[in-house]
Amino acid sequence: MTDMIRVENLRYTYPGAKNPVLKGFSFEIREGEIFGFLGPSGAGKSTTQKVLNGLLKGFGGTVQINGTDLSRMERSFYEKIGVAFEFPNLYLKLTALENLQLFASFFKSDTRDPDELLALVHLEGDRDTRVEAFSKGMKMRAALAIALSHKAELIIMDEPTSGLDPMVRNDLYRIIREELNQEKRSFIISTHITSDLEKVADYVAIL
């Protein structure tokens, strides 16, 4: 397997802060792996993910994705990544299907059939239901479907099971593992729940 991500001596300090959040974090993620960030709130899990998805600039160290330095990435980079935040960024007044269709329209690359994705995350029976009526678990599954909609090579998920009961957490990770087996892509998952990563991750970095 080839390296999807190579990070060396990653450092980051938020503007106005006295102390850095990241103080020389290094790791590698290979194609087809599930890599976990484990640690308490404030440890730097979300900060690392925001650097990787391009939301945070001005970091120190080296970050390469598919052999290209992150600082040299063009807008086409966003065609290759999918992101699911801890608090799903969904349009509550739209249905599950309408959300998928809207987000898919943002990409130039081919996207997957929305009904196929809704079936993948077990929301096919709620395709025409407004997201405002969804439970948190349903919203997380919808967010995962959106992250997978444009055939991204790298999926970044921040605390995807926070606040969910064990049965819903297990179902979400089962979907991730099944998707990984069918498509050649990599996942980064951050969480503070050790047992979750024991079930799904190939490698874990403790922050």
Side-chain angles (χ1 to χ4, degrees):
M1 290 188 294
T2 58
D3 286 342
M4 167 71 73
I5 296 174
R6 181 185 295 271
V7 175
E8 296 180 358
N9 197 29
L10 180 61
R11 306 178 305 280
Y12 189 82
T13 302
Y14 282 98
K18 294 182 179 180
N19 299 314
V21 177
L22 300 171
K23 307 174 184 179
F25 187 25
S26 300
F27 60 93
E28 296 177 4
I29 301 175
R30 297 182 183 276
E31 184 180 78
E33 288 182 346
I34 297 178
F35 195 93
F37 293 151
L38 179 66
S41 297
K45 303 187 303 295
S46 295
T47 300
T48 302
Q49 290 184 317
K50 288 176 182 177
V51 169
L52 293 176
N53 65 32
L55 289 179
L56 290 181
K57 311 294 183 182
F59 58 87
T62 301
V63 178
Q64 292 184 336
I65 299 180
N66 275 341
T68 302
D69 195 280
L70 186 59
S71 62
R72 300 176 182 173
M73 290 292 185
E74 300 178 350
R75 291 187 63 86
S76 58
F77 166 67
Y78 294 100
E79 297 283 331
K80 300 179 180 179
I81 66 169
V83 179
F85 296 102
E86 178 179 2
F87 302 102
N89 187 22
L90 303 169
Y91 290 89
L92 301 183
K93 296 298 182 182
L94 299 182
T95 66
L97 178 62
E98 289 169 340
N99 266 277
L100 277 169
Q101 291 172 331
L102 175 62
F103 280 95
S105 71
F106 298 158
F107 297 96
K108 294 180 180 179
S109 56
D110 292 339
T111 55
R112 298 168 66 175
D113 179 77
D115 283 309
E116 171 196 328
L117 288 165
L118 289 171
L120 174 68
V121 299
H122 310 305
L123 287 175
E124 63 269 36
D126 298 284
R127 70 190 296 275
D128 299 317
T129 301
R130 287 187 177 183
V131 171
E132 63 184 353
F134 280 12
S135 65
K136 183 172 183 181
M138 294 170 71
K139 290 176 181 176
M140 287 307 306
R141 281 186 277 149
L144 175 58
I146 289 171
L148 296 170
S149 65
H150 58 292
K151 301 181 181 179
E153 298 171 5
L154 173 66
I155 309 296
I156 300 174
M157 305 186 73
D158 188 15
E159 298 283 358
T161 59
S162 177
L164 304 183
D165 65 57
M167 184 174 292
V168 177
R169 295 207 312 265
N170 288 338
D171 187 51
L172 189 66
Y173 283 129
R174 181 185 55 77
I175 293 168
I176 291 171
R177 178 56 71 181
E178 288 179 355
E179 179 67 17
L180 185 70
N181 289 337
Q182 294 180 30
E183 300 285 344
K184 188 176 290 187
R185 55 168 54 97
S186 302
F187 281 84
I188 297 176
I189 300 172
S190 72
T191 183
H192 61 278
I193 304 173
T194 305
S195 59
D196 281 6
L197 292 183
E198 288 177 344
K199 297 173 184 175
V200 71
D202 298 302
Y203 296 96
V204 176
I206 301 176
L207 289 83

